[in-house]
Amino acid sequence: GAFQIALAAGFVMTLAMWNQNRGPAGREVEKRLTDYKTPLGQTLRRPRVWLSVLLFFLYVGAEAALGTWAYTLLTESREVDRTLAGFFTGSYWFTFTIGRILAGVIAQRVGVDRLVLGGLAGALVGAGLLIWNPAEIANVVAVALIGVSIAPIFPAMMSGTQRRVGNDDAANTIGMQMAATGFGGMIIPSTMGMLARQISLEVIPVYLLAVYAGLAGAYVLAVRLRG
């Protein structure tokens, strides 16, 4: 659909901006990573690596979950008009795309850690607002806030992989992180749907808040272990 095209375009533009911001030094580091021939078995024994993989599992799972279930939550549980609910859901992907493009511009100024933690703070506020639901307009504000807040997190975390796990394990870890995105995008939305069916659709924003809280805790721990 149109939003997939927008996301792809935004992601390509973001990568270009990040590469531009990193300059020659960034390209030099990228080349050096291919020179490390660390056995996968050795990488798998590193706790920092598994923590880094967990970050991507949780992030992509949460990203996919809200995109999958927001429309159902709004129309079937909160009785929002279907056209309006479609607008609310679309605002998530729209602000997400804008946020990801802008992330490449501001990343160099604020730093990776501030970008990730700031995005997670915004996502937690948005999820809390979605749970509270004081008025119909709060839904679009919450969904849009989550979209723009989480947009920088994926490229920021990917860019920070080497700092989290070190040179030796960076290349192997990047591959594991990409594999984790597939599992997260499948497992978290699926379990969210199962809980919604057994309990209530209102469990969706609660689950989302829990995932973002877990992601924030895991990232803070990853930063401390790195230091």
Side-chain angles (χ1 to χ4, degrees), residues 167-190:
N167 292 339
D168 291 342
D169 298 301
N172 288 338
T173 303
I174 289 172
M176 293 170 63
Q177 287 171 170
M178 293 308 298
T181 63
F183 285 106
M186 174 181 62
I187 293 173
I188 290 180
S190 298

Side-chain angles (χ1 to χ4, degrees), residues 124-193:
L124 287 168
V125 171
L129 182 59
L130 200 59
I131 294 171
W132 181 26
N133 187 31
E136 191 172 83
I137 190 62
N139 291 289
V140 69
V141 172
V143 170
L145 177 60
I146 293 173
V148 74
S149 297
I150 69 171
I153 295 177
F154 183 95
M157 291 196 308
M158 187 63 75
S159 176
T161 299
Q162 186 182 11
R163 294 174 60 206
R164 287 193 303 272
V165 303
N167 292 339
D168 291 342
D169 298 301
N172 288 338
T173 303
I174 289 172
M176 293 170 63
Q177 287 171 170
M178 293 308 298
T181 63
F183 285 106
M186 174 181 62
I187 293 173
I188 290 180
S190 298
T191 55
M192 182 178 285

Side-chain angles (χ1 to χ4, degrees), residues 72-91:
T72 304
L73 169 68
L74 297 178
T75 56
E76 295 187 13
S77 180
R78 300 186 175 178
E79 299 181 350
V80 175
D81 177 78
R82 291 184 178 273
T83 302
L84 194 58
F87 171 75
F88 286 179
T89 306
S91 71

Side-chain angles (χ1 to χ4, degrees), residues 25-211:
R27 289 190 291 271
E28 183 181 347
V29 169
E30 194 171 13
K31 290 179 181 178
R32 286 203 304 265
L33 290 181
T34 61
D35 296 331
Y36 291 92
K37 307 298 181 183
T38 307
L40 181 59
Q42 180 177 324
T43 300
L44 292 174
R45 292 193 292 270
R46 310 285 192 193
R48 292 182 182 183
V49 169
W50 287 105
L51 186 58
S52 191
V53 170
L54 176 63
L55 296 176
F56 284 82
F57 174 86
L58 293 174
Y59 167 77
V60 175
E63 176 191 309
L66 184 58
T68 300
W69 291 106
Y71 183 82
T72 304
L73 169 68
L74 297 178
T75 56
E76 295 187 13
S77 180
R78 300 186 175 178
E79 299 181 350
V80 175
D81 177 78
R82 291 184 178 273
T83 302
L84 194 58
F87 171 75
F88 286 179
T89 306
S91 71
Y92 169 65
W93 295 113
F94 175 75
T95 58
F96 177 91
T97 303
I98 297 301
R100 182 153 287 185
I101 293 172
L102 292 177
V105 178
I106 66 173
Q108 194 73 6
R109 298 178 182 178
V110 303
V112 168
D113 293 338
R114 288 183 180 179
L115 200 59
V116 173
L117 294 174
L120 287 171
L124 287 168
V125 171
L129 182 59
L130 200 59
I131 294 171
W132 181 26
N133 187 31
E136 191 172 83
I137 190 62
N139 291 289
V140 69
V141 172
V143 170
L145 177 60
I146 293 173
V148 74
S149 297
I150 69 171
I153 295 177
F154 183 95
M157 291 196 308
M158 187 63 75
S159 176
T161 299
Q162 186 182 11
R163 294 174 60 206
R164 287 193 303 272
V165 303
N167 292 339
D168 291 342
D169 298 301
N172 288 338
T173 303
I174 289 172
M176 293 170 63
Q177 287 171 170
M178 293 308 298
T181 63
F183 285 106
M186 174 181 62
I187 293 173
I188 290 180
S190 298
T191 55
M192 182 178 285
M194 288 187 290
L195 288 174
R197 184 165 55 249
Q198 294 177 1
I199 303 173
S200 164
L201 285 170
E202 292 299 323
V203 79
I204 290 172
V206 177
Y207 192 151
L208 196 65
L209 181 68
V211 174

